[in-house]
């Protein structure tokens, strides 16, 4: 079964509130054994009209686990905590 990745583009409007979101999302990552590949860091656009403020890439054992992480009680709470702190565009993708 191929690994799966959650990729998120994050825009932060309230850093203090987003910090609390990161605490809860980290708990969810630990519950589902997510491997953090990218969490912040400098972004260097190479092609197209895209310049995200922050990028996150998480690796999961498979797509079902990535979906379970997203739907979990812990991550659902994290999303509620994040409301009004910024915006996220996120997707899951199978990979190698």
């Amino acid at each position: 079964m191929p690994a799966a990745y959650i990729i998120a583009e994050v825009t932060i409007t309230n850093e203090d509130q987003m910090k609390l979101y990161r605490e809860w999302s980290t708990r969810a990552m630990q519950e589902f054994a997510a491997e953090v590949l990218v969490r912040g860091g400098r972004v260097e656009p190479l092609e197209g009209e895209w310049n995200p403020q922050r990028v996150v890439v998480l690796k999961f054992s498979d797509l079902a686990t990535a979906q379970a992480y997203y739907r979990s009680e812990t991550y659902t709470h994290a999303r509620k905590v994040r409301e009004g702190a910024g915006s996220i565009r996120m997707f899951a993708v199978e990979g190698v």
Side-chain angles (χ1 to χ4, degrees), residues 21-76:
Y21 160 77
R22 283 193 294 270
E23 291 173 15
W24 279 95
S25 65
T26 297
R27 291 179 192 178
M29 288 177 218
Q30 292 167 344
E31 288 175 17
F32 290 89
E35 181 181 349
V36 178
L37 301 177
V38 176
R39 195 173 195 187
R42 192 174 89 185
V43 176
E44 181 67 29
L46 299 175
E47 285 191 40
E49 298 294 321
W50 191 44
N51 191 12
Q53 182 181 10
R54 183 176 172 90
V55 175
V56 176
V57 180
L58 306 175
K59 181 180 180 182
F60 294 87
S61 58
D62 54 41
L63 187 56
T65 303
Q67 292 167 327
Y69 157 83
Y70 182 78
R71 295 179 182 134
S72 72
E73 185 176 318
T74 304
Y75 191 70
T76 297

